[in-house]
Amino acid sequence: MDAMEQGSDLPDSDGQASDRDAPGWQRTGKKGPGFLLLAHCAHLLDERLRVLLKPLGLHTGQARVLHALNRMGKASQRQLANQFNVTPASMSQMTKRLINNGFIEVHSDPDDRRTSILLLTAKGQDLLTRVFAVWDQIDQIVIAEIGADHAEQLFTNSRNLRNALGGRAPGTKATGDDADE
């Protein structure tokens, strides 16, 4: 078991990793900071997701962009960047391949010719259907590992945490909307 799995990287008196001597760390009966476990789980699931999306020619962010456009109907690069909390330049890089492969089409905004509007194409919608199947596979991994009741509780708690931290599902208002992603 590595230090991240143990939740610590500090040696205990018996040579085992422990957080009890870490500056500012308060023991609460856990083996380490809970967020490290959450981050590690997220990393492991993201790695599985990356492998499952690879045959589709997508990475995680691109799959989320397709989903966002599906939810929003249409959006500018700036609107998408705001939804994902990234710079417009980063969003432009993320969407470039989706546009070049015909999954997203670009139109001029009739209200502002300087702004381009992105729309999901029929080909992009078909790809998104395949993305949903991959996302369902990831959900099934979680359910298989911790059980349906615990998985549902995890998904609910994750949504609540995301909302509490100021995150939101694409296309929803920043008013604590608890819509699924």
Side-chain angles (χ1 to χ4, degrees):
M1 186 180 308
D2 68 18
M4 193 160 201
E5 288 173 289
Q6 292 176 351
S8 174
D9 60 358
L10 298 174
D12 196 12
S13 59
D14 62 0
Q16 296 297 314
S18 172
D19 288 310
R20 76 178 111 228
D21 299 319
W25 175 249
Q26 307 250 332
R27 294 293 294 173
T28 59
K30 297 181 292 186
K31 288 191 173 206
F35 79 91
L36 285 178
L37 293 172
L38 184 60
H40 194 196
C41 289
H43 173 76
L44 293 169
L45 287 171
D46 193 55
E47 180 60 24
R48 290 193 186 183
L49 180 60
R50 186 189 65 73
V51 168
L52 291 171
L53 287 173
K54 189 174 183 176
L56 303 181
L58 293 176
H59 63 70
T60 304
Q62 290 170 321
R64 291 184 64 219
V65 166
L66 293 174
H67 181 243
L69 282 174
N70 186 60
R71 288 180 59 97
M72 297 169 75
K74 63 181 180 178
S76 69
Q77 295 275 9
R78 183 170 300 286
Q79 289 169 321
L80 283 173
N82 288 338
Q83 291 288 312
F84 286 84
N85 198 29
V86 298
T87 66
S90 293
M91 183 54 64
S92 178
Q93 282 300 113
M94 196 178 304
T95 58
K96 186 182 295 186
R97 225 172 112 218
L98 295 170
I99 293 166
N100 290 341
N101 289 328
F103 301 122
I104 295 175
E105 58 188 18
V106 183
H107 297 278
S108 293
D109 184 342
D111 299 326
D112 182 358
R113 294 281 182 207
R114 297 169 298 165
T115 302
S116 295
I117 298 295
L118 305 177
L119 297 147
L120 198 59
T121 65
K123 185 177 175 182
Q125 185 64 54
D126 289 343
L127 181 60
L128 184 58
T129 299
R130 295 172 64 196
V131 168
F132 287 152
V134 168
W135 287 347
D136 188 57
Q137 284 181 297
I138 297 296
D139 281 356
Q140 294 307 313
I141 290 169
V142 173
I143 291 166
E145 294 302 326
I146 66 174
D149 291 342
H150 285 99
E152 190 58 40
Q153 185 177 26
L154 175 64
F155 299 149
T156 298
N157 288 338
S158 296
R159 181 183 309 109
N160 292 341
L161 179 59
R162 179 207 56 203
N163 293 349
L165 294 173
R168 61 188 186 276
T172 59
K173 305 286 186 216
T175 59
D177 187 341
D178 67 351
D180 290 330
E181 279 210 47

